[in-house]
Amino acid sequence: QIDYIINNEEKQIEELSQSLNTNTERIITKANQILDSQKLNTPLLSIFEPELLTSLSYTSHSPISINSNDDFIAQANSEGWIGSGTEADPYIISGLNITSDTEQGISIYNTTLFFNIEDCVITGGTEGIHFHLVSNAKVINTFITNSSENSIGFYTSSRILIDNCSISGSNVGMNIQSS
């Protein structure tokens, strides 16, 4: 019976060792994927949690260009964006998949309204997001990839918050001028 216990314990140790080796291999593989993603400019979330990206539902949308508070209000009404543009009730631009070959994904000029860009994917174009003379904006949980110049550009803008975003594959991550 002692031999049986010893053999059983050796078997358990062997199983634990195999499990540890398997987990170690998985960790090494994941680390290599992360390193490769940096070379391939792939958002890390797509490697760590690909099911999360595929489970999110994005609506295809053409690039957005807003040139004033009045233009913002008109577009918010026509697009059905929720909010009223106040600090307590910002406009919400959310759940969009914007792809551009040549222009900016989202460009906003001359606005003081409060707004959030949330849970969007912006790919390509010269800049993912361009703010010029903008205040009171938040960009949250957004993926910006493969812009030919900047992922996000701020020009003479203030009160801008960037939170939990992934930016990659652009010449410059964030370009901040006079802001």
Side-chain angles (χ1 to χ4, degrees):
Q1 185 167 2
I2 293 176
D3 287 338
Y4 172 78
I5 292 173
I6 291 173
N7 287 336
N8 194 26
E9 287 180 354
E10 287 175 354
K11 183 178 178 185
Q12 288 177 344
I13 291 171
E14 177 70 25
E15 287 172 358
L16 285 173
S17 176
Q18 288 175 352
S19 175
L20 180 60
N21 287 338
T22 300
N23 287 335
T24 301
E25 288 174 18
R26 290 176 60 215
I27 291 168
I28 290 169
T29 299
K30 190 62 69 179
N32 285 330
Q33 288 175 335
I34 292 168
L35 292 172
D36 288 344
S37 77
Q38 297 306 304
K39 296 173 192 165
L40 298 173
N41 299 313
T42 303
L44 287 179
L45 182 59
S46 66
I47 289 170
F48 271 117
E49 302 177 36
E51 65 280 355
L52 180 58
L53 277 182
T54 56
S55 70
L56 295 174
S57 175
Y58 297 105
T59 302
S60 290
H61 198 285
S62 59
I64 296 170
S65 180
I66 297 171
N67 296 304
S68 66
N69 285 340
D70 290 339
D71 188 21
F72 203 123
I73 293 166
Q75 286 193 47
N77 289 333
S78 71
E79 294 280 349
W81 298 333
I82 61 171
S84 61
T86 65
E87 186 170 11
D89 187 30
Y91 285 116
I92 307 291
I93 301 169
S94 180
L96 301 180
N97 181 356
I98 299 171
T99 300
S100 175
D101 291 330
T102 57
E103 58 190 313
Q104 296 146 338
I106 298 177
S107 59
I108 301 179
Y109 299 82
N110 305 308
T111 63
T112 56
L113 296 170
F114 288 81
F115 67 94
N116 296 356
I117 298 169
E118 301 177 357
D119 302 311
C120 292
V121 175
I122 304 169
T123 306
T126 55
E127 280 184 308
I129 298 175
H130 177 95
F131 292 147
H132 189 122
L133 294 169
V134 169
S135 59
N136 307 315
K138 294 180 182 178
V139 182
I140 304 166
N141 298 327
T142 294
F143 297 89
I144 305 164
T145 62
N146 300 323
S147 299
S148 62
E149 295 176 15
N150 310 309
S151 290
I152 304 175
F154 309 98
Y155 309 91
T156 318
S157 296
S158 62
R159 297 191 64 189
I160 310 291
L161 172 72
I162 308 298
D163 185 31
N164 198 36
C165 294
S166 174
I167 55 178
S168 64
S170 302
N171 190 32
V172 175
M174 285 193 272
N175 186 1
I176 303 171
Q177 296 181 16
S178 301
S179 295

